[in-house]
Amino acid sequence: MPLKQKDLLGIEGLDRSDIEHIIATADSLKEVSTRDIKKVPALRGKTIVNLFYEPSTRTRTSFELAGKRLSADVINMSVSTSSVVKGETLLDTVMNIEAMNSDIIIIRHSMSGAPSLIAKELKSSVINAGDGAHEHPTQALLDLYTIKERLGRTDGLKVAIVGDIAHSRVARSNILCLNKMGVEVRVCGPATLIPAGIEEMGVEVYYRPEEALKDVDAIMMLRIQMERQGSGLFPGVREYSRLFGLNEARVRLAKEGAIIMHPGPINRGVEISPAVADGPYSVILDQVTNGVAVRMAVLYLLSEGRA
Ligand code: CP
């Protein structure tokens, strides 16, 4: 059954049954990546364009692999060598891509709402690969997949998201997704990096990890997003690390066997110690592996709806 939506613009537009459908589809597609020949013909003849206006390692690569493992033709447009540098607008750029008969356009952009803006103008499906501080829906879906895979359920779990909540599209999408899946969400960070009124999203706010991490099932650490901040929002990297960084002592506050997550890229020794990032409870690289399966599922389900 395809997704009813033409586009994946955010977790906001999905209900619990949509999320469960994507996770179940990802589960059935995950084994394709373990085969000798990592390919199925599901999207043969479809054209997918990766259009990233911001840097990316995991999201761009895994969307490319996901498309190729489903046998689609995948084009990676390099914005820095495109006519964007000559002043071509976002809308003109995507209209020209669509004129070459694209089926799906995957976009990352610094402007919140950019994916939604282009989706209104295009027949192609649009996937939001991260827009400003707004949403990063496939990250939240792969995080959810990893939580379910490791902990076996979502309802009744407690998850703490720690770090730069204010500038994080990952935090926003995860809060929306985890709430829909029956998870109790806590957010923790310096007061200057917690947006006013975030309680209205259904989270508990903490300013000390010593309280936020008590008895949680999963800890999700976030990077300080210097590229989206003005100055003076926290005292300094060393002090931030001392007050909010995840070390082995703080991990022991969580439930026995709690998993350690991070969307990447990690800043070792700042928000997470190397011993924790590489330790036995870290699922950071599982998140990356699961990203391919989840993105295969999203591409497949959106394509099915267009057939
Ligand atoms: N998690 C994430 O979005 O990583 P990239 O910026 O490398 O895509």
Side-chain angles (χ1 to χ4, degrees):
M1 195 179 49
L3 280 175
K4 52 187 179 292
Q5 297 82 349
K6 170 177 111 27
D7 312 292
L8 177 62
L9 302 176
I11 297 294
E12 202 159 18
L14 302 177
D15 58 28
R16 181 168 177 149
S17 67
D18 296 324
I19 294 169
E20 285 172 341
H21 186 38
I22 294 168
I23 298 297
T25 306
D27 214 22
S28 66
L29 289 168
K30 187 173 174 179
E31 66 81 23
V32 173
S33 295
T34 65
R35 296 180 189 176
D36 280 345
I37 297 170
K38 301 174 183 60
K39 233 180 203 348
V40 289
L43 296 194
R44 196 163 53 194
K46 299 287 183 188
T47 301
I48 297 171
V49 179
N50 259 329
L51 180 59
F52 278 56
Y53 283 77
E54 285 189 329
S56 168
T57 297
R58 284 146 288 270
T59 313
R60 199 185 69 88
T61 309
S62 62
F63 264 120
E64 180 176 358
L65 284 173
K68 287 181 169 169
R69 287 181 186 169
L70 294 169
S71 303
D73 297 317
V74 183
I75 307 299
N76 292 307
M77 245 196 77
S78 163
V79 168
S80 63
T81 56
S82 74
S83 290
V84 169
V85 294
K86 300 178 203 160
E88 192 164 42
T89 66
L90 172 60
L91 268 180
D92 281 331
T93 301
V94 294
M95 300 286 254
N96 278 269
I97 292 171
E98 183 160 88
M100 294 180 251
N101 295 319
S102 57
D103 294 291
I104 299 180
I105 296 177
I106 300 159
I107 180 167
R108 171 171 287 190
H109 203 285
S110 59
M111 187 181 78
S112 296
S116 161
L117 178 83
I118 66 168
K120 289 190 185 86
E121 304 296 328
L122 297 177
K123 288 197 253 342
S124 304
S125 291
V126 174
I127 299 176
N128 179 3
D131 61 328
H134 176 230
E135 279 229 42
H136 190 351
T138 56
Q139 180 68 46
L141 291 166
L142 73 88
D143 291 341
L144 182 74
Y145 184 101
T146 307
I147 290 171
K148 270 199 88 177
E149 181 177 65
R150 285 304 188 110
L151 303 177
R153 67 190 170 96
T154 56
D155 283 297
L157 293 180
K158 295 188 183 77
V159 174
I161 307 176
V162 182
D164 182 358
I165 309 296
H167 300 94
S168 176
R169 54 198 178 204
V170 173
R172 213 181 124 68
S173 285
N174 262 297
I175 291 167
L176 292 167
C177 189
L178 293 169
N179 270 342
K180 287 176 199 246
M181 299 304 293
V183 175
E184 179 187 315
V185 183
R186 302 172 179 184
V187 296
C188 176
T192 47
L193 297 179
I194 303 274
I198 194 161
E199 295 90 344
E200 284 158 31
M201 288 187 79
V203 297
E204 285 175 37
V205 176
Y206 294 81
Y207 300 102
R208 296 185 66 238
E210 285 67 25
E211 289 160 11
L213 302 184
K214 255 185 220 157
D215 297 324
V216 295
D217 300 276
I219 304 171
M220 199 177 282
M221 297 306 294
L222 299 176
R223 183 175 64 87
I224 296 286
Q225 304 214 17
M226 296 297 196
E227 70 275 27
R228 293 190 212 288
Q229 289 190 14
S231 60
L233 291 182
F234 68 100
V237 167
R238 280 176 63 179
E239 185 158 9
Y240 179 83
S241 180
R242 185 174 63 76
L243 293 173
F244 293 95
L246 190 62
N247 53 32
E248 287 168 301
R250 287 190 174 133
V251 168
R252 284 194 287 276
L253 297 167
K255 216 174 254 178
E256 176 81 36
I259 58 172
I260 311 301
M261 310 178 74
H262 194 306
I266 64 173
N267 288 138
R268 284 173 182 271
V270 180
E271 74 274 8
I272 190 164
S273 74
V276 173
D278 304 326
Y281 301 110
S282 170
V283 297
I284 295 171
L285 293 179
D286 299 83
Q287 290 172 262
V288 179
T289 302
N290 292 334
V292 178
V294 164
R295 288 173 177 130
M296 285 171 81
V298 168
L299 292 172
Y300 176 66
L301 293 171
L302 288 179
S303 267
E304 256 200 319
R306 298 173 50 84

